[in-house]
Amino acid sequence: MAQARRILLKLSGEALGADASGADSFGYRAETLAGFVGQIREVVELGVQVGIVVGGGNLFRGATGALSGMDRATADSMGMLATVMNALALKDALVRAGVPARVQTAVAITHVGEAFERDTALRHLESGSVVIFGGGTGNPFFTTDTAAALRGAEIGADLLLKATKVDGVYTADPKKDATATRYASLSFDEAIRNNLAVLDTAAFALCREQKLPLVVFDIFKPGALKRVVMGEDEGTRVTP
Ligand code: UDP
């Protein structure tokens, strides 16, 4: 039986353009989207309610714009719009595969998706729709990791899942250190003590304060999302 009733899945924008080998590209890879949809479907079929926060890194990041001289707040607004495009791409792929899905955005864009409203989001989740939250937190200077922690806390998720290209948190960078080992689990305090960058600081603080457990896992591993939700040894579990 699934160990979680409601989850918040954070998908980076980068992941939408990547493939299993880790190669990134601009925009979307249809086969990557199809793979994510298949994994999301598996957990929806278990009766798990799924909220998703999607990033925008495959299209635009505010920090990159600021590096070339753009005003940071304006660049971040562009980044937030990029996440809305990704939310629409993901919704389209889910709906085409027969998985009911809705988009809610933190930045109101009439006709494109609903504006974020917690009560409505909860109703959609309870009726079995996947709810994709676009537009991050709606504020510049934040990331979609923080948006994921925020929406996760707001919808009362039992678990926050950070989908990455690595299968968890390691004692050192596994690409540079052959002796690096994966943590199966660790506490928020241990993560701080060992200086492990699990989430960005604001997101991490919110999860810790709200006692929202987190799993970092490799979404490119077939069936990984379901195994995490079933409580199996997949990725790294960070617990209060
Ligand atoms: N962003 C923002 N506020 C938020 C979330 C995101 O301004 O609450 C902007 C920011 O410019 C960021 C971009 O949206 O660079 C894309 O989000 P993020 O970098 O988190 O995407 P990911 O790295 O997960 O693809």
Side-chain angles (χ1 to χ4, degrees):
M1 213 179 85
Q3 306 272 301
R5 189 181 68 93
R6 182 177 291 156
I7 60 169
L8 192 295
L9 171 68
K10 157 73 205 293
L11 271 180
S12 72
E14 236 172 47
L16 301 182
D19 66 16
S21 74
D24 294 326
S25 64
F26 182 82
Y28 309 98
R29 275 182 203 260
E31 59 280 21
T32 298
L33 270 171
F36 295 169
V37 165
Q39 295 215 42
I40 294 163
R41 179 210 287 281
E42 281 185 342
V43 296
V44 168
E45 284 172 358
L46 290 173
V48 176
Q49 297 175 20
V50 182
I52 301 177
V53 165
V54 66
N58 54 326
L59 303 175
F60 192 79
R61 279 205 180 90
T64 315
L67 276 180
S68 61
M70 285 185 76
D71 169 67
R72 177 64 191 259
T74 305
D76 277 343
S77 294
M78 291 171 64
M80 287 188 265
L81 294 176
T83 74
V84 175
M85 286 179 63
N86 284 342
L88 292 171
L90 189 58
K91 184 195 96 163
D92 174 77
L94 283 162
V95 170
R96 275 189 290 119
V99 182
R102 303 264 186 161
V103 169
Q104 287 207 340
T105 64
V107 278
I109 311 183
T110 324
H111 306 312
V112 161
E114 291 170 10
F116 170 67
E117 197 201 20
R118 182 173 170 263
D119 288 346
T120 322
L122 291 174
R123 274 205 298 280
H124 291 325
L125 288 167
E126 275 153 15
S127 71
S129 270
V130 171
V131 182
I132 307 160
F133 300 105
T137 65
N139 300 292
F141 309 110
F142 286 99
T143 67
T144 48
D145 272 7
T146 304
L150 178 65
R151 296 291 181 246
E154 281 179 290
I155 65 168
D158 318 299
L159 197 58
L160 180 67
L161 290 111
K162 181 169 161 130
T164 68
K165 292 185 281 185
V166 210
D167 67 344
V169 180
Y170 278 74
T171 50
D173 183 346
K175 282 191 198 128
K176 295 181 189 149
D177 184 346
T179 65
T181 52
R182 174 178 64 92
Y183 289 98
S185 69
L186 76 156
S187 68
F188 283 105
D189 288 343
E190 274 176 285
I192 294 175
R193 263 202 311 279
N194 297 324
N195 228 351
L196 302 167
V198 175
L199 285 174
D200 72 56
T201 322
F204 188 84
L206 192 54
C207 287
R208 188 168 179 234
E209 191 184 295
Q210 295 303 316
K211 301 193 174 11
L212 177 57
L214 161 81
V215 178
V216 180
F217 74 106
D218 180 3
I219 184 91
F220 288 95
K221 231 168 140 181
L225 178 59
K226 184 174 178 182
R227 284 195 296 281
V228 170
V229 167
M230 298 296 286
E232 293 172 23
D233 178 25
E234 184 66 59
T236 296
R237 208 161 274 260
V238 191
T239 49

